[in-house]
Amino acid sequence: MANKQQISFSLAFLAVALFVLAGQATARREILNAEVGGAANPKDAVEMILNELISSTQRVKNKVSVLGNSQMVQACDKAYASSLESLNKAMGLVKGTAGIDTGNLKASITAALHGYDNCDYAFAESTRPSPFIPNNANLKSLVSQCLELTSKLANNN
């Protein structure tokens, strides 16, 4: 019986990972093309990446329930919720009418990064492979881009 549960868990993981990765890869290409194509304003590029981070994190969070109710999965669900909260705060800072507080913006974006790390760590502690590693790697890459553009934004102000 345990073998059947492992197989179904593995198939569920594979289906979730493929679905989320396909969406992230497409969106990431669009972001990179827009950035290379000349998002002249770093603020617009940061906003575009934050939009992608929010939607990608929400997609992954929505698929968490497919993987069961283990302690690690629950930790990832909480981590994604925390990341979404931080990303939404960052988006509010970017869209605010006053000047952008790049220090708070970087702190909010970095907090989202820690959420993805916390998810990976929950599985690493249990010595079970995380089904979220591919998704988190893509999200972390987008966060890195966003932080780089935020630094450019800070230098422009």
Side-chain angles (χ1 to χ4, degrees):
M1 186 64 146
N3 244 358
K4 282 186 177 181
Q5 287 177 334
Q6 279 185 322
I7 290 171
S8 65
F9 178 77
S10 297
L11 291 175
F13 157 71
L14 182 61
V16 169
L18 288 175
F19 176 78
V20 173
L21 282 175
Q24 286 180 343
T26 302
R28 188 149 191 255
R29 270 195 307 274
E30 289 173 10
I31 288 172
L32 291 175
N33 288 340
E35 188 178 342
V36 171
N41 184 349
K43 180 183 174 186
D44 293 341
V46 167
E47 186 176 338
M48 196 171 16
I49 292 174
L50 283 173
N51 277 326
E52 178 54 32
L53 276 165
I54 291 168
S55 65
S56 294
T57 302
Q58 188 63 57
R59 269 195 306 271
V60 175
K61 186 179 181 332
N62 290 343
K63 300 302 177 193
V64 167
S65 62
V66 173
L67 298 176
N69 200 22
S70 71
Q71 191 173 17
M72 292 86 60
V73 171
Q74 288 178 358
C76 286
D77 189 45
K78 288 179 185 175
Y80 290 130
S82 173
S83 291
L84 282 169
E85 186 178 312
S86 297
L87 292 169
N88 284 319
K89 179 180 176 186
M91 183 62 81
L93 290 169
V94 170
K95 287 187 170 187
T97 55
I100 297 175
D101 179 353
T102 55
N104 278 338
L105 180 59
K106 282 183 180 182
S108 294
I109 295 167
T110 302
L113 177 65
H114 292 305
Y116 307 136
D117 286 335
N118 289 341
C119 177
D120 289 340
Y121 183 72
F123 276 90
E125 259 187 337
S126 73
T127 67
R128 290 184 56 195
S130 172
F132 302 108
I133 287 176
N135 302 314
N136 289 344
N138 284 331
L139 291 167
K140 289 175 188 180
S141 176
L142 284 171
V143 166
S144 176
Q145 269 188 299
C146 196
L147 286 171
E148 186 178 317
L149 287 168
T150 301
S151 293
K152 288 181 184 177
L153 189 61
N155 291 337
N156 288 347
N157 288 336

